């Protein structure tokens, strides 16, 4: 199957399907008449093997209490080994209803009230929400914008850890929204600092499969062989890779025995959740049968990225499109186009788009937008045309 066939077969419209992205526009953005490229899910149907597995179970018609299907761990572990060279042990795995919920639980389990949790903005905004919701102290070590892209500021990072007595660092890897895939050297450096100061690293690796650059993704479970396994917990899920977010199935990987015992002792206090049977069935089928589908999807995302990067910057050289090493979320700098305080109105009213705004990720990022590229090319072409039109109109009016 080539890309054109993939798009024809799996591309979908989602209006009036209770889609948050498409059907909550009025509520979230004040107008239903916008082209949505915000929340991180996709306009693609899942792999055929997932639909078949769900249909088979639905035709049985029973959704009683369930156990983890026997094929789940082998399918998940085989995917991790093949795609990322990560060797998972079955005892590491715990389940949750999703990554954000996992983060909330983990922060509460591994820190006390008012203790400090560090994040690296601009970063996926639920990280900050989770820390605040848990009653912990939010400490920020912002990424640095350099001539070669966003970098971690390791001097500031270590200084903040010492000054604020940080207990937990939430790492976003690959990084949403700046699109960085951290190198082995960067990960080693940051993990060494955390080890030195006894800071637990919770790595959100939900975007791990979306690697657009030639160099591979490196999990914290693999960096420097297993040098850091005592000090890391990974959260991930099949939901981002296979468009399964609403089936509420996420993973928590805890390699260290004593951290795992602590997790098991504490989790029952605030979570009694059963696993989502349909989420587990879909996840196992996706890992088992979804690889070709996923590789086609990645090609579509690459093409969409290439299209935005060339078309937008040719028409509007003042726009800076991020270097998308990983994720399907493109970070676009519009600070030379429109003042930050007017950007939201400009994007909605002049361009007819609903995107994630930079200010949601960090107050210093008010000049940016985050565009979701995991959609059919016609949506991307339309969005770019609307953006160019809005920018050119704005430029003319300001002349
Ligand atoms: C970095 C990151 N973590 C977590 C999530 C959400 O995960 P979940 O739906 O499993 O809570 C997203 C979704 O966009 C994300 O980008």
């Amino acid at each position: 199957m080539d890309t054109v066939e993939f798009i024809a077969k799996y591309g979908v419209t989602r209006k009036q399907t209770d889609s948050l992205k498409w059907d909550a526009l009025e509520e979230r953005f004040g107008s239903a008449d916008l082209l949505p490229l915000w929340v991180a899910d996709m306009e693609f149907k899942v792999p055929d093997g997932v639909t078949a597995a769900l249909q088979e179970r639905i035709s049985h018609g029973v959704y009683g209490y369930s156990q983890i299907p026997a094929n789940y761990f082998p399918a998940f572990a085989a995917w991790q080994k093949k795609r990322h060279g990560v060797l998972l042990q079955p005892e590491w795995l715990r389940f949750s209803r999703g990554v954000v919920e996992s983060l909330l639980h983990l922060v509460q389990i591994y820190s006390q009230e008012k203790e400090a949790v560090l994040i690296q903005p601009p970063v996926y905004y639920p990280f900050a929400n989770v820390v605040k919701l848990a009653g912990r102290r939010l400490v920020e070590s912002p990424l640095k914008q350099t001539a070669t892209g966003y970098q971690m500021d390791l001097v500031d990072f270590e200084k903040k850890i010492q000054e604020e007595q940080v207990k937990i660092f939430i790492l976003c890897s690959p990084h949403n929204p700046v699109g960085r895939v951290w190198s082995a050297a960067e990960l080693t450096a940051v993990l060494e600092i955390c080890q030195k100061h006894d800071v637990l690293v919770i790595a959100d690796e939900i975007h791990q499969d979306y690697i657009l650059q030639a160099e591979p993704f490196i999990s914290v479970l693999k960096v420097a062989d297993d040098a850091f396994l005592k000090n890391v917990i990974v959260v991930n899920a099949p939901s981002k890779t296979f468009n399964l977010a609403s089936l509420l199935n996420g993973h928590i990987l805890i390699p260290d025995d004593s951290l795992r015992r602590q997790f098991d002792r504490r989790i029952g206090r605030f979570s009694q959740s059963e696993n989502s049977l349909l989420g587990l069935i879909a996840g196992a089928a996706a890992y088992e049968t979804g690889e070709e589908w996923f590789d086609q999807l990645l090609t579509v995302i690459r093409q969409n990225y290439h299209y935005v990067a060339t078309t937008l910057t040719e028409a509007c050289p003042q726009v800076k499109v991020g270097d998308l090493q990983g994720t399907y979320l493109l970070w676009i700098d519009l600070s030379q186009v429109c003042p930050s305080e007017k950007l939201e109105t400009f994007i909605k009213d002049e361009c007819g788009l609903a995107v994630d705004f930079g200010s949601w990720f960090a107050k210093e990022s008010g000049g940016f937008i985050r565009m979701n590229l995991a959609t059919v090319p016609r949506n991307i072409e339309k969005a770019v045309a609307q953006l160019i039109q809005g920018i050119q109109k704005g430029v003319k009016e300001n002349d």
Side-chain angles (χ1 to χ4, degrees):
M1 181 182 300
D2 64 18
T3 318
V4 174
E5 287 163 342
F6 177 86
I7 293 163
K9 180 168 177 194
Y10 294 102
V12 279
T13 54
R14 298 176 59 199
K15 260 194 181 160
Q16 293 178 339
T17 61
D18 292 318
S19 149
L20 185 66
K21 190 195 268 172
W22 290 83
D23 296 324
L25 283 168
E26 176 82 50
E27 182 197 324
R28 300 292 179 114
F29 291 85
S31 163
D33 199 22
L34 301 172
L35 176 60
L37 301 143
W38 62 294
V39 62
D41 64 13
M42 318 195 250
E43 279 64 67
F44 294 104
K45 287 188 206 174
V46 296
D48 295 351
V50 175
T51 304
L54 290 171
Q55 275 170 343
E56 190 188 331
R57 186 52 61 104
I58 284 168
S59 68
H60 182 232
V62 178
Y63 310 101
Y65 298 112
S66 309
Q67 61 178 8
I68 309 294
N71 66 335
Y72 194 91
F73 181 79
F76 173 42
W79 180 273
Q80 289 293 328
K81 182 168 173 223
K82 181 162 182 215
R83 306 283 307 191
H84 307 296
V86 172
L87 299 178
L88 294 181
Q89 301 302 321
E91 63 273 17
W92 296 357
L93 177 59
R94 298 292 180 272
F95 288 91
S96 75
R97 286 179 300 209
V99 162
V100 174
E101 186 176 284
S102 305
L103 291 172
L104 181 61
H105 290 161
L106 293 169
V107 163
Q108 290 181 83
I109 290 171
Y110 297 106
S111 66
Q112 307 293 324
E113 230 172 297
K114 301 214 170 63
E115 284 184 336
V117 179
L118 186 145
I119 63 171
Q120 293 176 314
V123 72
Y124 182 57
Y125 39 87
F127 286 10
N129 295 344
V130 155
V131 175
K132 290 180 201 157
L133 204 62
R136 275 40 173 179
R137 210 152 31 84
L138 184 68
V139 174
E140 299 185 333
S141 176
L143 298 177
K144 283 190 298 196
Q145 247 182 305
T146 72
T148 54
Y150 281 92
Q151 306 284 344
M152 297 187 187
D153 183 343
L154 294 177
V155 173
D156 178 73
F157 183 81
E158 185 162 18
K159 188 163 159 267
K160 297 265 170 66
I161 284 179
Q162 288 178 292
E163 281 175 5
E164 304 283 347
Q165 299 182 323
V166 168
K167 295 291 173 215
I168 295 175
F169 162 44
I170 308 179
L171 169 70
C172 197
S173 175
H175 190 97
N176 166 14
V178 309
R180 280 293 324 273
V181 176
W182 305 114
S183 69
E186 288 171 304
L187 290 169
T188 305
V190 84
L191 290 172
E192 274 173 358
I193 294 172
C194 290
Q195 201 170 46
K196 181 168 147 201
H197 299 286
D198 203 18
V199 174
L200 175 67
V201 179
I202 302 175
D204 177 345
E205 298 186 349
I206 196 170
H207 290 281
Q208 67 183 142
D209 293 312
Y210 291 97
I211 305 303
L212 282 84
Q213 63 173 19
E215 294 79 35
F217 163 78
I218 298 166
S219 170
V220 297
L221 298 171
K222 197 184 157 210
V223 65
D225 294 327
D226 44 12
F228 298 104
L229 291 191
K230 289 196 91 46
N231 207 36
V232 297
I233 293 177
V234 166
V235 285
N236 66 23
S239 56
K240 209 59 63 187
T241 307
F242 297 106
N243 210 17
L244 303 169
S246 267
L247 293 182
L248 301 180
N249 175 44
H251 309 133
I252 304 174
L253 297 162
I254 315 177
D256 181 68
D257 288 347
S258 98
L259 287 176
R260 210 164 51 238
R261 275 197 302 276
Q262 200 176 340
F263 178 88
D264 290 340
R265 268 197 314 272
R266 290 281 309 279
I267 191 72
R269 285 200 214 161
F270 33 74
S271 173
Q272 292 276 308
S273 66
E274 292 296 319
N275 294 111
S276 156
L277 175 66
L278 295 183
L280 290 163
I281 287 172
Y287 289 129
E288 280 175 352
T289 69
E291 188 160 29
E292 196 196 333
W293 175 96
F294 181 73
D295 287 333
Q296 287 293 344
L297 170 69
L298 210 49
T299 306
V300 175
I301 290 164
R302 271 203 191 92
Q303 289 176 358
N304 284 345
Y305 171 50
H306 184 69
Y307 180 83
V308 179
T310 50
T311 317
L312 189 56
T313 46
E314 264 167 34
C316 311
Q318 68 276 46
V319 175
K320 289 191 212 104
V321 172
D323 171 22
L324 194 67
Q325 299 175 348
T327 83
Y328 55 70
L329 305 162
L330 185 56
W331 194 231
I332 302 176
D333 182 355
L334 295 175
S335 56
Q336 302 303 310
V337 168
C338 174
S340 301
E341 63 281 6
K342 295 194 179 149
L343 190 64
E344 295 201 18
T345 314
F346 170 73
I347 291 292
K348 289 191 282 189
D349 297 354
E350 303 300 326
C351 306
L353 300 177
V355 296
D356 277 36
F357 292 106
S359 57
W360 297 357
F361 299 85
K363 44 185 182 311
E364 296 74 20
S365 302
F368 288 76
I369 60 168
R370 192 196 76 174
M371 183 188 275
N372 181 341
L373 300 178
T375 191
V376 291
R378 69 172 175 279
N379 286 339
I380 296 297
E381 288 157 19
K382 201 162 167 249
V384 170
Q386 288 175 205
L387 200 50
I388 292 173
Q389 206 178 26
I391 293 170
Q392 289 177 341
K393 188 166 157 245
V395 170
K396 242 191 231 140
E397 278 169 8
N398 288 331
D399 272 349

